[in-house]
Amino acid sequence: MPGHIGRQTIVLLDAPLITGDYNKKVRDWEHATRTPVYGCTVDYTSAAESREARDQTITAAQLFMPRRAPRVSEWQRVEWDGRTWEVDGVPRDTQAAGPLSGQTVRLLEVAG
């Protein structure tokens, strides 16, 4: 259970699309727009470690957004707890959780 329910702040990162090598569209994370969001609840949900070909740690967290927060897409990143997280899949629709709930977003960090 999260310790500070509704008291955490995250930063949404939204990178513009630019033309990369061979005219391929890529995200420009160095020039991402940063949007702080207050009143969130975030909690670690799982962690796994792999030592086969190389050391790798995969950590997952669950982000519960407040009702009036900006919508998060699968193309964004989230900064929280001193880490940069990838949005894992498509965030859950707010309507599925009830009229007073915000989005639910699964976060993933792969290190190594």
Side-chain angles (χ1 to χ4, degrees):
M1 194 68 177
H4 302 287
I5 296 174
R7 295 185 181 175
Q8 296 167 320
T9 300
I10 59 112
V11 176
L12 287 177
L13 301 174
D14 194 8
L17 280 173
I18 61 170
T19 303
D21 295 338
Y22 304 106
N23 289 329
K24 182 179 178 183
K25 295 291 184 183
V26 295
R27 298 270 173 191
D28 183 10
W29 291 108
E30 291 183 18
H31 298 98
T33 303
R34 300 169 53 85
T35 306
V37 180
Y38 307 96
C40 298
T41 301
V42 191
D43 194 21
Y44 290 99
T45 56
S46 67
E49 189 172 332
S50 172
R51 293 184 178 264
E52 292 173 11
R54 61 185 172 133
D55 291 345
Q56 186 178 53
T57 304
I58 300 171
T59 308
Q62 195 77 13
L63 165 62
F64 299 96
M65 304 284 287
R67 185 170 69 137
R68 291 185 175 91
R71 291 194 56 82
V72 178
S73 76
E74 62 271 22
W75 305 110
Q76 293 177 308
R77 291 182 179 171
V78 172
E79 286 182 351
W80 171 71
D81 198 26
R83 299 174 172 190
T84 302
W85 301 79
E86 301 281 337
V87 173
D88 186 24
V90 178
R92 188 174 297 161
D93 186 17
T94 56
Q95 298 299 326
L100 298 178
S101 299
Q103 257 184 318
T104 302
V105 182
R106 181 174 158 82
L107 304 175
L108 195 66
E109 180 199 50
V110 180

